[in-house]
């Protein structure tokens, strides 16, 4: 009976150590706090803390997942360009158009992911907010 118990504990701790080691090797993962509402992949996300990581285990993938800690809302991001980096300075870059922020780049310790911001949708969003319908004045009739 003791032998079974010892084997069970050994297997449990071995699997736990393996899982921790595999988790530690996850590349391109960062935690970022965004202080304002922003647009990523056409979806408007609220300000908050986000976990960014590769959507798939394949190191060659250009797809990242961005998930909110607060409400578990998220989006998949398809990068147009992925390049290696030697700087270990994770960062997130936004393009500011009108009063909207558009996600344009994510830098992890390993790679730089670029997300194109189409100027047409960005301009439309900015124009929509700038050209809200003016209140019409009405004159009284006799």
């Amino acid at each position: 009976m003791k032998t079974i118990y010892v084997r069970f504990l050994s297997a449990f701790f071995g699997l736990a150590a393996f899982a921790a080691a595999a988790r530690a090797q996850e590349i391109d993962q960062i935690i970022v706090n965004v202080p304002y509402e922003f647009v990523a992949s056409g979806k408007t996300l609220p300000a908050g803390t986000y976990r960014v990581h590769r959507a798939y285990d394949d190191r060659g993938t250009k797809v990242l997942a961005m998930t909110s800690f607060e409400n578990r809302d998220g989006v998949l991001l398809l990068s147009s360009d992925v390049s290696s980096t030697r700087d270990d300075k994770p960062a997130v870059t936004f393009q500011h158009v009108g009063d909207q922020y558009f996600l344009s780049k994510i830098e992890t310790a390993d790679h730089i992911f670029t997300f194109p911001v189409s100027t047409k949708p960005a301009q439309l969003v900015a124009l929509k907010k700038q050209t809200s319908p003016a209140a019409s004045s009405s004159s009284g009739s006799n």
Side-chain angles (χ1 to χ4, degrees), residues 18-40:
F18 177 72
R23 194 78 170 145
Q25 292 178 2
E26 188 171 353
I27 62 167
D28 294 322
Q29 175 177 287
I30 62 171
I31 306 296
V32 62
N33 186 8
V34 182
Y36 38 76
E37 181 178 86
F38 65 99
V39 177

Side-chain angles (χ1 to χ4, degrees), residues 22-32 41 45 49-69 72-79 82 90-92 103 105-111 113 115:
R23 194 78 170 145
Q25 292 178 2
E26 188 171 353
I27 62 167
D28 294 322
Q29 175 177 287
I30 62 171
I31 306 296
V32 62
S41 289
L45 297 169
T49 304
Y50 290 85
R51 176 179 175 243
V52 179
H53 60 95
R54 288 204 185 241
Y56 310 106
D57 289 336
D58 179 17
R59 286 182 178 252
T61 187
K62 293 182 174 185
V63 181
L64 295 178
M66 184 174 213
T67 310
S68 169
F69 276 99
R72 300 290 183 225
D73 195 15
V75 66
L76 289 177
L77 307 165
L78 177 60
S79 177
V82 178
V92 178
L103 179 67
K105 188 188 312 182
I106 295 177
E107 297 179 50
T108 68
D110 304 301
H111 296 94
F113 297 86
F115 307 97

Side-chain angles (χ1 to χ4, degrees), residues 85-106:
T85 182
R86 293 187 188 267
D87 295 336
D88 188 6
K89 297 180 182 176
V92 178
T93 305
F94 296 90
Q95 201 171 359
H96 191 204
V97 179
D99 62 349
Q100 286 282 341
Y101 291 90
F102 295 86
L103 179 67
S104 60
K105 188 188 312 182
I106 295 177

Side-chain angles (χ1 to χ4, degrees), residues 7-25:
R7 285 183 185 171
F8 175 75
L9 282 177
S10 297
F12 176 76
F13 286 118
L15 288 175
F18 177 72
R23 194 78 170 145
Q25 292 178 2

